[in-house]
Structures are given as C-alpha cells and as structure tokens.
C-alpha cells in the first residue's frame, strides 16, 4: 500500500485534506483432496474452484473539509472515489472492474466541556475476502463451500447518532444508535447444487451501542482501567432461496 496525504489549514474555519492511495493485493490458493477407502487405492476427489490466484489493483483519491461553524458546531464532510480491478486465474478465469463513490458527513455539537453529540452519514464499501474466491472444505463436518469468482462487496449507507459524556478524568460514557441499509448482503448461496459464498440482496441493521471506561484507582490499581462495551443489534435480510 502507498498512501499520500496533504493537510492544509486554509483559515480559522476550514481545515482541508487531500490524498491518494494505491494498493496491490493477491492470494494464491491450491487445494487437492485425495480419498483412500480402507484397503483401497488413492482416488482424487474433484473440487470446483480449488486452485486460484486472485489479484487486486486498487486506487483511491479523497478530499475532506473540517468546517468550524461556531465554538459549539463542527461539520466534517468529504468524498472518496475508489476504483479497482480484480483478476482471477486457475480453475476459473475472470476479470472485473469496480468503481465506487463514497461520500461522508459528520456534525459535532459540543453541549458543554464534558458533553458532545455527533451525527454522521457514511457510504461504506466492504473489503472482499479473497479466500472466498476459492473453495474450502470442512473435514470435521464433511462440508464443502464452493468459491465464487462473481462475489461483489457489501455496500451500505450508515447513519449514526452518538452522545459522549465525560464524568471525570479518564472516565467517560458513550451511547450510540445506528441504522444501516446494506446492499449485496454477503451470505451463502447455491451454485450447481453446492453451498457457495455469494450475495443475496438487500438487508438492514439497527442497534444501540454503549461504551464506558473508568480507572481503577479506587481499588488501589492506579495503572489499571476498566472498559465495558454492550451492543444490542437486530439485522434483517431476505434469503432469495428460502
């Protein structure tokens, strides 16, 4: 990965940031399965998409602005543009290109020196797992999951509201509510009668997250800290098969 970033304080109200990133990723997978019945000869077991090399060349440019509207309000907004090409060779040959535009905006309101509200809306694109482009075998459960060269990344609009309260030095409580609309949900699909990695369509995700941190000085541990995280989440997607 190569990444360059330029930060410019244009004025007391605006801090601009520009940058670019280039990356090259690859994964080689070779899987051969041989079965030997008791007292018999070795028999090779055919497995689709068992040998694969996946390569990704990706480039991204981004720009953002932190706009200080007032001592109490800050608006941060930006845009990322990502383009990539994925090629697969081996048992199956495939080449595909992707291009995504990813805007984002975050508004921060300082209620008091110890209390802050944040609201954000982000377009997010997940990174593909190259291991899922080739087949895998679970020998314990005697199950095979076929690789899928046609995988596409999950894409989501993510909305989040967060309140942070500092109760004392090194002691803080954060409560957040979030709602995501996800496209191309990643799950298992069926290809030629076999389970395979794939995308099943649209889904949603809502939830509430609570985080807290406090030092343990009162217990005689001045260099220790307790951190607690709680998450309630509900997800929903429609499986096109069932």
């Amino acid at each position: 990965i190569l990444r360059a970033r330029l930060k410019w304080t244009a004025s007391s109200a605006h801090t601009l940031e520009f940058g670019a990133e280039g990356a090259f990723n690859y994964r080689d997978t070779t899987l051969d399965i041989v079965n030997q019945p008791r007292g018999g000869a070795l028999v090779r077991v055919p497995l689709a998409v068992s040998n694969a090399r996946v390569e990704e060349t990706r480039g991204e440019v981004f720009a953002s602005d932190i706009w200080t509207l007032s001592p109490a309000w800050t608006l941060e907004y930006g845009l990322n543009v990502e383009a990539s090409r994925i090629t697969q060779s081996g048992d199956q040959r495939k080449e595909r290109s992707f291009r995504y535009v990813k805007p984002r905006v975050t508004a921060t309101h300082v209620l008091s020196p110890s209390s802050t509200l944040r609201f954000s809306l982000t377009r997010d694109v997940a990174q593909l797992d190259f291991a899922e482009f080739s087949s895998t075998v679970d020998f314990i459960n005697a199950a095979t999951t076929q690789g899928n060269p046609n995988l596409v990344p999950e894409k989501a609009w993510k909305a989040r509201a967060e309140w942070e309260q500092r109760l004392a030095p090194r002691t803080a409580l954060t409560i957040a509510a979030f709602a995501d609309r996800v496209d191309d949900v990643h799950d298992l699909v069926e290809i030629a009668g076999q389970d395979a990695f794939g995308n099943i369509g649209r889904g949603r995700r809502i939830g509430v997250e609570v985080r807290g941190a406090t030092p343990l000085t009162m217990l005689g541990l001045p260099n220790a800290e307790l951190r607690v995280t709680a998450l309630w989440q509900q997800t929903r997607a429609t499986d096109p098969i069932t």
Side-chain angles (χ1 to χ4, degrees):
I1 298 176
L2 294 176
R3 183 180 179 91
R5 185 173 62 178
L6 172 65
K7 192 172 185 179
W8 175 36
T9 303
S11 67
S12 59
H14 291 275
T15 300
L16 305 176
E17 189 172 24
F18 307 92
E21 178 180 291
F24 174 74
N25 303 308
Y26 78 93
R27 182 185 178 98
D28 269 316
T29 302
T30 301
L31 177 62
D32 292 313
I33 304 174
V34 176
N35 184 34
Q36 184 179 25
R38 183 182 299 273
L42 297 175
V43 179
R44 188 175 185 276
V45 179
L47 181 64
V49 204
S50 60
N51 300 303
R53 178 182 174 90
V54 182
E55 297 182 354
E56 178 194 45
T57 304
R58 175 170 48 84
E60 184 173 33
V61 294
F62 54 89
S64 65
D65 177 26
I66 301 176
W67 183 7
T68 304
L69 300 168
S70 70
W73 282 97
T74 301
L75 184 66
E76 181 178 353
Y77 54 95
L79 184 70
N80 289 43
V81 179
E82 174 188 319
S84 63
R85 185 178 71 251
I86 296 179
T87 60
Q88 179 165 341
S89 57
D91 292 342
Q92 292 200 24
R93 294 184 175 274
K94 190 93 175 176
E95 179 173 324
R96 295 176 297 153
S97 296
F98 300 98
R99 184 177 290 108
Y100 299 110
V101 178
K102 300 181 289 185
R104 63 189 183 282
V105 60
T106 301
T108 303
H109 180 40
V110 178
L111 300 171
S112 70
S114 60
S115 183
T116 304
L117 278 175
R118 290 188 186 88
F119 307 93
S120 66
L121 179 64
T122 305
R123 178 64 166 172
D124 182 67
V125 179
Q127 180 67 30
L128 288 169
D129 184 351
F130 290 171
E132 297 181 351
F133 281 68
S134 55
S135 300
T136 62
V137 177
D138 181 351
F139 291 101
I140 296 177
N141 296 311
T144 300
T145 305
Q146 184 172 313
N148 185 357
N150 295 307
L151 277 171
V152 298
E154 282 191 354
K155 296 163 284 291
W157 283 103
K158 296 184 175 182
R160 185 179 180 92
E162 184 175 282
W163 172 60
E164 179 180 314
Q165 177 69 46
R166 295 197 172 275
L167 305 173
R170 295 176 57 197
T171 302
L173 175 67
T174 301
I175 301 174
F178 58 88
D180 304 340
R181 193 193 76 175
V182 186
D183 295 315
D184 296 316
V185 172
H186 177 273
D187 208 312
L188 290 178
V189 299
E190 185 179 301
I191 297 178
Q194 293 282 337
D195 283 341
F197 303 108
N199 304 95
I200 64 170
R202 179 170 291 180
R204 67 168 175 80
R205 178 171 49 233
I206 59 173
V208 176
E209 182 181 12
V210 179
R211 301 190 306 273
T214 184
L216 298 179
T217 308
M218 72 290 290
L219 299 180
L221 302 171
N223 297 319
E225 182 180 69
L226 175 65
R227 296 184 181 182
V228 178
T229 300
L231 174 67
W232 175 86
Q233 179 174 282
Q234 183 184 66
T235 60
R236 182 183 181 90
T238 299
D239 187 328
I241 296 178
T242 62

